[in-house]
């Protein structure tokens, strides 16, 4: 769990002297809406590392189903959201293409959990992210980004199609909507908290 602690200067008696930052990853396939989600919920202007899609990348970037996409993340997206005084979430959007996955190990260090964005038109694209977090025992939720014109599936159907471990939350969302994105993050923080607490209790026992 990533944390950042700082001492207050000049604070009165009882002042909050500790700031805690929780690190959250936003992952998923190419063009699924990771940059959009980070930008929608971030309270600061998000840091983006997007580049124009080039003709040279056409042979390796599958734009089927997202033909209107003109840019791609080549390093990460970064945003921040304050939950309450002294508690913030730092959001790191991962690149979606295979050739940038070497960055995932660096980004995942110290992460509380992850959001795996899914598009039901290209559901297979989120399998690598699901496998990645399952193998590293990083708690995650699957957030189905409900694109216009896509067939609607229930959470149970998506969970079964992805063969998720029992208890892994699946939520429906609109990555463009701030409130919808916040609900996804709330579900993740709650779920990750339960998972980490259970592991701590197991280790003590």
């Amino acid at each position: 769990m990533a944390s950042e602690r700082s001492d207050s200067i000049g604070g009165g008696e009882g002042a909050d002297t500790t700031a805690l930052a929780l690190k959250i990853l936003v992952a998923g396939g190419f063009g699924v809406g990771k940059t959009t989600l980070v930008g929608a919920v971030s309270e600061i202007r998000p840091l983006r590392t997007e580049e124009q899609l080039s003709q040279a990348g056409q042979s390796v970037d599958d734009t089927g189903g997202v033909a209107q996409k003109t840019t791609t993340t080549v390093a990460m997206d970064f945003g921040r959201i304050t939950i309450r005084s002294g508690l913030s979430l730092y959001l790191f959007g991962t690149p979606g293409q295979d050739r940038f996955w070497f960055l995932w190990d660096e980004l995942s260090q110290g992460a509380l959990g992850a959001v795996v964005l899914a598009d039901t038109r290209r559901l297979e694209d989120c399998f690598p992210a699901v496998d990645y977090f399952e193998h590293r025992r990083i708690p995650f939720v699957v957030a189905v980004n409900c694109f216009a014109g896509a067939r609607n599936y229930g959470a149970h159907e998506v969970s079964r199609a992805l063969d998720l471990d029992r208890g892994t939350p699946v939520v429906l969302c609109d990555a463009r909507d701030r409130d919808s994105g916040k609900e996804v993050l709330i579900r993740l923080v709650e779920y990750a908290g339960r998972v980490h607490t259970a592991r701590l209790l197991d280790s003590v026992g």
Side-chain angles (χ1 to χ4, degrees), residues 42-61:
S42 178
E43 66 192 18
I44 61 172
R45 182 178 180 181
L47 168 66
R48 293 173 172 166
T49 57
E50 288 192 308
E51 295 292 342
Q52 290 290 322
L53 289 171
S54 65
Q55 190 170 16
Q58 290 181 353
S59 61
V60 290
D61 292 331

Side-chain angles (χ1 to χ4, degrees), residues 3 57 109 118 154 170 193:
S3 63
Q109 291 294 322
V170 176

Side-chain angles (χ1 to χ4, degrees), residues 31 71 81 104 148 162 174:
T71 61
I81 180 170
W104 285 38
L162 294 176
D174 182 345

Side-chain angles (χ1 to χ4, degrees), residues 35-193:
T35 298
T36 300
L37 177 62
V38 172
V41 300
S42 178
E43 66 192 18
I44 61 172
R45 182 178 180 181
L47 168 66
R48 293 173 172 166
T49 57
E50 288 192 308
E51 295 292 342
Q52 290 290 322
L53 289 171
S54 65
Q55 190 170 16
Q58 290 181 353
S59 61
V60 290
D61 292 331
D62 179 13
T63 58
V66 287
Q68 74 282 4
K69 185 172 175 61
T70 59
T71 61
T72 183
T73 298
V74 296
M76 67 174 186
D77 300 310
F78 174 77
R80 186 190 71 204
I81 180 170
T82 299
I83 303 300
R84 58 172 172 75
S85 177
L87 177 60
S88 300
L89 296 182
Y90 286 174
L91 308 175
F92 293 84
T94 65
Q97 302 97 309
D98 296 7
R99 65 185 184 276
F100 296 125
W101 280 356
F102 66 92
L103 294 170
W104 285 38
D105 288 337
E106 292 293 329
L107 292 176
S108 65
Q109 291 294 322
L112 172 72
V115 174
V116 176
L117 272 177
D119 178 353
T120 57
R121 301 169 302 178
R122 297 157 52 109
L123 197 58
E124 67 280 359
D125 287 1
C126 69
F127 272 110
V130 168
D131 290 341
Y132 183 91
F133 296 123
E134 284 184 343
H135 291 160
R136 287 158 181 79
R137 303 183 72 229
I138 297 175
F140 68 94
V141 302
V142 173
V144 180
N145 194 7
C146 299
F147 287 92
R151 181 179 172 183
N152 293 325
Y153 292 91
H156 179 69
E157 293 175 287
V158 173
S159 179
R160 186 171 54 188
L162 294 176
D163 193 25
L164 298 176
D165 290 341
R166 185 176 181 180
T168 302
V170 176
V171 296
L172 307 182
C173 75
D174 182 345
R176 302 166 300 178
D177 183 77
R178 182 180 180 85
D179 290 336
S180 181
K182 283 185 175 180
E183 284 299 318
V184 172
L185 297 176
I186 290 170
R187 287 289 300 275
L188 171 62
V189 171
E190 291 175 343
Y191 174 63

